[in-house]
């Protein structure tokens, strides 16, 4: 299975059997991601070099406005898409096999975890997985140490409070916080979903 076939499978299917070639591809991609993130995380790089390494990791073009403060961790890499003017702060962890789509003008705080996989509930098939994409629409701010669970969509302009565990979709311009995250109010620009 090549990278293109892997992405086609992951973007049209959500079940990964523990005996499948897809799971074997997970391991191959993980090794490559560890190699690149070791380079990214273990010495100083200016933002231009960080962009070059991140491009190599996700295998997609990224805008020159992209910024990151390493370290950064991922188990796959190639199923991450980022828009323009994205900032990822230190110690973030992206489990992107199921797909992570990040819009424009996004701020992601320290230590944010984005998960796209769950294990099979059936204990005899526990190594099998269910993948669900996470989509973050434009102009979102995710506070430090927030956790975004599989299948979540975060609406335009939303704010995720620090330490929140996001277990369900977040509406546009909502401010959510807590575990599980709940809407505490809306931004003053509520309704401006451009």
């Amino acid at each position: 299975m090549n990278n293109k076939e892997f992405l086609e499978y992951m973007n049209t299917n959500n079940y990964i059997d523990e005996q499948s070639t897809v799971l074997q591809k997970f391991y191959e991609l993980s090794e490559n991601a560890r190699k690149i993130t070791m380079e990214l995380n273990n010495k100083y790089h200016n933002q231009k070099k960080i962009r070059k390494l991140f491009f190599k990791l996700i295998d997609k073009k990224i805008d020159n406005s992209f910024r990151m403060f390493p370290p950064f961790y991922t188990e796959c890499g190639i199923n991450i898409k980022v828009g323009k003017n994205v900032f990822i702060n230190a110690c973030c962890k992206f489990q992107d096999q199921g797909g992570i789509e990040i819009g424009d003008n996004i701020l992601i705080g320290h230590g944010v975890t984005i998960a796209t996989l769950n294990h099979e509930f059936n204990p005899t098939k526990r190594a099998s997985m269910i993948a669900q994409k996470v989509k973050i629409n434009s102009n979102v701010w995710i506070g430090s140490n927030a956790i975004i669970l599989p299948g979540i969509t975060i609406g335009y302009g939303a704010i995720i409070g620090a330490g929140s565990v996001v277990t369900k979709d977040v509406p546009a311009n909502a401010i959510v916080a807590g575990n599980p995250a709940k809407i505490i109010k809306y931004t003053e620009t509520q309704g401006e979903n451009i």
Side-chain angles (χ1 to χ4, degrees):
M1 172 175 272
N2 62 34
N3 289 357
K4 183 179 179 190
E5 290 168 335
F6 171 80
L7 289 172
E8 284 172 0
Y9 180 89
M10 295 308 295
N11 291 323
T12 56
N13 297 278
N14 72 342
Y15 190 79
I16 302 96
D17 187 87
E18 62 187 323
Q19 303 298 325
S20 70
T21 57
V22 178
L23 192 58
Q24 294 308 308
K25 185 66 175 177
F26 274 27
Y27 299 137
E28 176 190 321
L29 291 168
S30 181
E31 288 302 307
N32 187 59
R34 285 190 324 112
K35 201 180 317 178
I36 296 167
T37 55
M38 286 294 285
E39 168 68 17
L40 178 67
N41 295 338
N42 290 301
K43 63 170 100 168
Y44 170 79
H45 301 290
N46 63 29
Q47 288 298 315
K48 184 176 181 181
K49 179 67 173 180
I50 289 170
R51 280 190 294 276
K52 186 175 181 181
L53 287 166
F54 196 72
F55 164 77
K56 186 176 177 183
L57 178 66
I58 70 170
D59 197 29
K60 293 172 197 69
K61 286 190 172 196
I62 55 173
D63 191 76
N64 284 337
S65 60
F66 175 83
R67 293 181 312 126
M68 172 188 283
F69 289 170
F72 174 79
Y73 306 95
T74 185
E75 297 174 8
C76 179
I78 68 166
N79 213 0
I80 299 171
K81 295 178 186 173
V82 295
K84 296 178 181 176
N85 198 31
V86 170
F87 173 65
I88 300 173
N89 216 326
C91 300
C92 290
K93 301 173 206 88
F94 288 13
Q95 181 195 52
D96 67 291
Q97 289 94 330
I100 297 173
E101 187 177 321
I102 300 169
D104 297 334
N105 307 311
I106 304 291
L107 299 172
I108 300 177
H110 292 90
V112 168
T113 298
I114 301 175
T116 65
L117 297 175
N118 275 311
H119 286 277
E120 169 73 63
F121 284 6
N122 180 339
T124 64
K125 295 180 139 281
R126 189 62 41 88
S128 297
M129 290 179 253
I130 296 110
Q132 294 175 289
K133 179 180 180 177
V134 169
K135 182 174 181 179
I136 303 167
N137 285 289
S138 294
N139 296 316
V140 167
W141 170 23
I142 302 175
S144 295
N145 295 308
I147 300 171
I148 315 298
L149 295 183
I152 299 299
T153 296
I154 299 175
Y156 174 96
I159 298 172
I160 310 301
S164 296
V165 178
V166 182
T167 61
K168 57 185 177 180
D169 290 351
V170 177
N173 300 304
I175 300 173
V176 301
N179 179 6
K182 293 183 169 66
I183 298 170
I184 55 174
K185 65 180 182 175
Y186 284 85
T187 65
E188 292 177 9
T189 57
Q190 184 180 358
E192 291 180 27
N193 190 359
I194 301 170

